[in-house]
Amino acid sequence: MRILVGCEMTYEFQYPTTVIAMLNVHSSRFSDLERPDYLLTIPAVPLEGYRDSFGNWCMRLVAPAGRMTLKTDTVVRDHSESDAPPDTSATEAVASMLPTDTLMFLLGSRYCETDRLSNIAWDLFGHLTPGWSRVQAICDYVHDRITFGYEHSRPTRTAAEVFEEQRGVCRDYAHLAIAFCRCLNIPARYCTGYVSDIGLPLPHAPGDFAAWMEVFLGGRWHMFDPRNNSPRIGRILIAYGRDAADVPLTLTFGPNALVDFVVTTEEAPDIGPT
């Protein structure tokens, strides 16, 4: 399947402002791109690319005062019809046996306060059989407890506040599930990227970026999506980190207003074998 992905974001800046953009498809999917997803700016400005501490690709630029648009797009060849099937045999590992590069994903972070949620997590899930089924039980609980709505979006909401308020958007679902996993000594990391509505009944909501999590079980990372909690077609990773603070789509170092925002994730026509 060929999937067209991309975004166009337009800002108003009061004065020249440094911006870090994290909008390119993750390097793990580079071989699936039909063309490079170069970041374009209107007006054109110099761009500096670098990798952050998690290996995500970032672009630094200085936006001039006034209006600026950031845009990128590409076609991704997606070789699976939907998310990978669940590996119900995947097991948890005790902390002493975990790879050292997973340990940071056990710690509390800006949006995932393990200290505030630890007792709650053990009360709710500590009695369950460790492994895939316990992580899925966490996703089921979060999916059922939280009411989704863009009107509930708040950039400062933490996992503990999600638990208390019982509402939010996809990043809030991910933060709460991640925090619960970490409280139970299961490494979990925050993911951001594209998720399509391909295969779902019409009408589809306007496109948006999505958030989910990856959990370390059975010696590797597995995807879980507490917001949708069902297989989806066209899940394209952009970046991962400890939580949303590590992987903002854009990080701006000055006052600005987002005046237009369009995200595309849709099936592209099949062009046949090449």
Side-chain angles (χ1 to χ4, degrees), residues 16 24 33 47-48 54 69 71 76 84 100 163 172 174 193 212 222 228 243 263 270 274:
N24 296 99
L33 304 187
L47 302 174
E48 177 190 1
F54 300 99
T69 297
K71 59 187 303 183
V76 181
T100 55
F163 178 78
D172 300 310
W212 60 92
H222 298 262
N228 294 300
D243 60 31
V263 178
D270 190 357
T274 58

Side-chain angles (χ1 to χ4, degrees), residues 141-148 162-163 166-168 173 176:
Y141 177 88
V142 172
H143 178 79
D144 293 341
R145 181 180 180 86
I146 307 306
T147 299
F148 181 87
V162 177
F163 178 78
Q166 301 183 40
R167 60 186 183 182
Y173 288 72
L176 182 55

Side-chain angles (χ1 to χ4, degrees), residues 138-221:
I138 291 172
C139 291
D140 293 342
Y141 177 88
V142 172
H143 178 79
D144 293 341
R145 181 180 180 86
I146 307 306
T147 299
F148 181 87
Y150 288 111
E151 69 275 15
H152 303 319
S153 178
R154 189 174 77 239
T156 59
R157 182 183 288 116
T158 67
E161 292 169 339
V162 177
F163 178 78
E164 294 165 358
E165 298 173 16
Q166 301 183 40
R167 60 186 183 182
V169 291
C170 57
R171 63 179 259 161
D172 300 310
Y173 288 72
H175 284 150
L176 182 55
I178 287 168
F180 280 151
C181 286
R182 292 178 185 172
C183 289
L184 299 170
N185 302 320
I186 308 169
R189 63 192 187 188
Y190 180 94
C191 299
T192 184
Y194 300 97
V195 175
S196 81
D197 289 323
I198 296 170
L200 298 181
L202 295 172
H204 295 159
D208 196 2
F209 289 107
W212 60 92
M213 68 175 182
E214 290 181 346
V215 177
F216 194 81
L217 296 170
R220 66 183 182 89
W221 292 99

Side-chain angles (χ1 to χ4, degrees), residues 4-269:
L4 174 65
V5 299
C7 67
E8 185 169 318
M9 307 167 72
T10 300
Y11 292 86
E12 287 279 359
F13 293 97
Q14 295 183 22
Y15 48 77
T17 303
T18 299
V19 178
I20 296 175
M22 198 176 297
L23 297 170
N24 296 99
V25 172
H26 192 264
S27 59
S28 61
R29 300 299 304 267
F30 278 179
S31 62
D32 297 325
L33 304 187
E34 291 191 1
R35 61 175 184 270
D37 58 335
Y38 295 124
L39 179 64
L40 303 177
T41 67
I42 305 171
V45 298
L47 302 174
E48 177 190 1
Y50 70 93
R51 295 200 181 278
D52 67 8
S53 58
F54 300 99
N56 303 310
W57 187 246
C58 308
M59 300 294 288
R60 181 168 62 172
L61 59 102
V62 177
R67 181 163 293 201
M68 164 167 266
T69 297
L70 309 177
K71 59 187 303 183
T72 182
D73 69 81
T74 188
V75 173
V76 181
R77 288 195 175 272
D78 201 53
H79 303 292
S80 60
E81 292 187 357
S82 64
D83 293 327
D87 182 1
T88 55
S89 64
T91 59
E92 297 175 24
V94 297
S96 62
M97 300 300 292
L98 287 168
T100 55
D101 61 359
T102 68
L103 297 179
M104 75 173 75
F105 299 108
L106 288 176
L107 307 178
S109 57
R110 164 68 179 86
Y111 290 105
C112 301
E113 319 101 308
T114 52
D115 54 342
R116 295 184 60 188
L117 290 167
S118 181
N119 289 340
I120 295 170
W122 282 100
D123 288 344
L124 290 172
F125 311 109
H127 64 286
L128 300 179
T129 302
W132 181 281
S133 61
R134 177 151 68 169
V135 176
Q136 185 57 57
I138 291 172
C139 291
D140 293 342
Y141 177 88
V142 172
H143 178 79
D144 293 341
R145 181 180 180 86
I146 307 306
T147 299
F148 181 87
Y150 288 111
E151 69 275 15
H152 303 319
S153 178
R154 189 174 77 239
T156 59
R157 182 183 288 116
T158 67
E161 292 169 339
V162 177
F163 178 78
E164 294 165 358
E165 298 173 16
Q166 301 183 40
R167 60 186 183 182
V169 291
C170 57
R171 63 179 259 161
D172 300 310
Y173 288 72
H175 284 150
L176 182 55
I178 287 168
F180 280 151
C181 286
R182 292 178 185 172
C183 289
L184 299 170
N185 302 320
I186 308 169
R189 63 192 187 188
Y190 180 94
C191 299
T192 184
Y194 300 97
V195 175
S196 81
D197 289 323
I198 296 170
L200 298 181
L202 295 172
H204 295 159
D208 196 2
F209 289 107
W212 60 92
M213 68 175 182
E214 290 181 346
V215 177
F216 194 81
L217 296 170
R220 66 183 182 89
W221 292 99
H222 298 262
M223 188 283 302
F224 289 85
D225 183 350
R227 158 66 180 102
N228 294 300
N229 209 31
S230 62
R232 302 296 290 268
I233 296 171
R235 188 180 302 274
I236 312 296
L237 179 67
I238 289 178
Y240 69 79
R242 293 167 298 181
D243 60 31
D246 287 332
V247 290
L249 298 168
T250 57
L251 181 62
T252 55
F253 295 83
N256 64 87
L258 178 63
V259 297
D260 195 23
F261 176 75
V262 178
V263 178
T264 300
T265 313
E266 61 186 35
E267 186 173 2

